[in-house]
Amino acid sequence: SYELTQPPSVSVSPGQTARITCSGDALPKQYAYWYQQKPGQAPVLVIYKDSERPSGIPERFSGSSSGTTVTLTISGVQAEDEADYYCQSADSSGTSYVFGTGTKVTVL
Amino acid sequence: QLQLQESGPGLVKPSETLSLTCTVSGGSISSSSYYWGWIRQPPGKGLEWIGSIYYSGSTYYNPSLKSRVTISVDTSKNQFSLKLSSVTAADTAVYYCARVSRTLAAAGPFPFDYWGQGTLVTVSS
């Protein structure tokens, strides 16, 4: 089955930049999305269509794509950004959705 | 403001069928702009897509769960439902319903832009 691979954890000091990668063979052909999930809460969409930001999401969240890897960047990390982050996309058919393995962002 | 609310038993016995319903308020489930989906998350683990449905009844399922999953829609009640048969302890999870937005991309895959709060379902005798 198709998989999206993320690093288990990323640690960053306040004000620094956090980068979270997501790798998958079908990513050159399929859009990727990013979600933030805080403990006990439902996920929140923070990036859509690889690099677009929904209304209400701070500008410090950005996304990019290169080949089989997409990246979520959090610039000027704040304590409130500490959360789990998941990428989401689909296999080559486009109809079988998949979530990445998830990355825990810790703000030191 | 769109709201989604999951409902159903919080405890299911092994080998039985898990049944959940998602009630949508503040918007129509019959809109051509959206699909509706189920996602689950075992305690302490990651997210897993279960399947999605269009208001017309077209369905898409996770291949790893397809043999046990049925998702249906009731447009008259603005609800969609999940049935997962032959459950085991491995099906213990928080189950989320969510809206799949076709408006945020010209073609799929599409994102989940609104989520319910989630409901914990435990499989145990």
Side-chain angles (χ1 to χ4, degrees):
Chain A
S1 62
Y2 183 55
E3 295 180 347
L4 295 174
T5 302
Q6 299 179 232
S9 62
V10 168
S11 297
V12 60
S13 299
Q16 300 303 303
T17 297
R19 293 182 179 84
I20 306 165
T21 58
C22 172
S23 298
D25 290 342
L27 287 176
K29 297 182 179 180
Q30 306 293 359
Y31 285 130
Y33 305 93
W34 289 95
Y35 301 86
Q36 176 193 69
Q37 185 181 33
K38 296 182 178 179
Q41 298 182 19
V44 173
L45 179 69
V46 294
I47 292 291
Y48 68 96
K49 219 166 64 173
D50 294 346
S51 60
E52 301 293 321
R53 198 172 48 251
S55 61
I57 300 302
E59 291 185 6
R60 63 180 181 274
F61 289 89
S62 63
S64 61
S65 176
S66 179
T68 59
T69 299
V70 294
T71 301
L72 173 69
T73 300
I74 312 173
S75 305
V77 167
Q78 300 183 7
E80 66 196 53
D81 300 329
E82 186 163 285
D84 293 326
Y85 291 84
Y86 295 90
C87 59
Q88 175 237 321
S89 186
D91 67 3
S92 56
S93 75
T95 57
S96 184
Y97 286 19
V98 63
F99 286 94
T101 50
T103 299
K104 181 175 181 58
V105 170
T106 300
V107 181
L108 300 171
Chain B
Q1 178 76 346
L2 188 78
Q3 292 188 330
L4 295 90
Q5 179 67 57
E6 305 89 351
S7 59
L11 181 63
V12 181
K13 290 182 169 56
S15 80
E16 296 189 344
T17 296
L18 178 160
S19 296
L20 295 174
T21 295
C22 182
T23 300
V24 178
S25 58
S28 173
I29 203 170
S30 299
S31 170
S32 60
S33 297
Y34 309 107
Y35 286 79
W36 306 90
W38 288 98
I39 302 100
R40 70 180 183 178
Q41 184 172 36
K45 296 187 178 181
L47 300 169
E48 180 180 35
W49 173 69
I50 299 171
S52 300
I53 191 165
Y54 197 49
Y55 75 94
S56 63
S58 298
T59 52
Y60 302 90
Y61 296 137
N62 185 324
S64 68
L65 298 170
K66 187 174 183 178
S67 63
R68 298 194 292 130
V69 172
T70 301
I71 298 176
S72 59
V73 63
D74 186 336
T75 56
S76 67
K77 295 182 179 179
N78 230 34
Q79 296 176 334
F80 62 106
S81 299
L82 168 70
K83 291 188 185 299
L84 180 65
S85 64
S86 305
V87 297
T88 69
D91 295 309
T92 293
V94 174
Y95 286 75
Y96 294 100
C97 60
R99 188 178 78 172
V100 185
S101 179
R102 299 179 66 197
T103 64
L104 294 180
F110 304 107
F112 301 92
D113 64 343
Y114 279 91
W115 296 63
Q117 64 185 23
T119 186
L120 175 63
V121 178
T122 301
V123 178
S124 175
S125 56

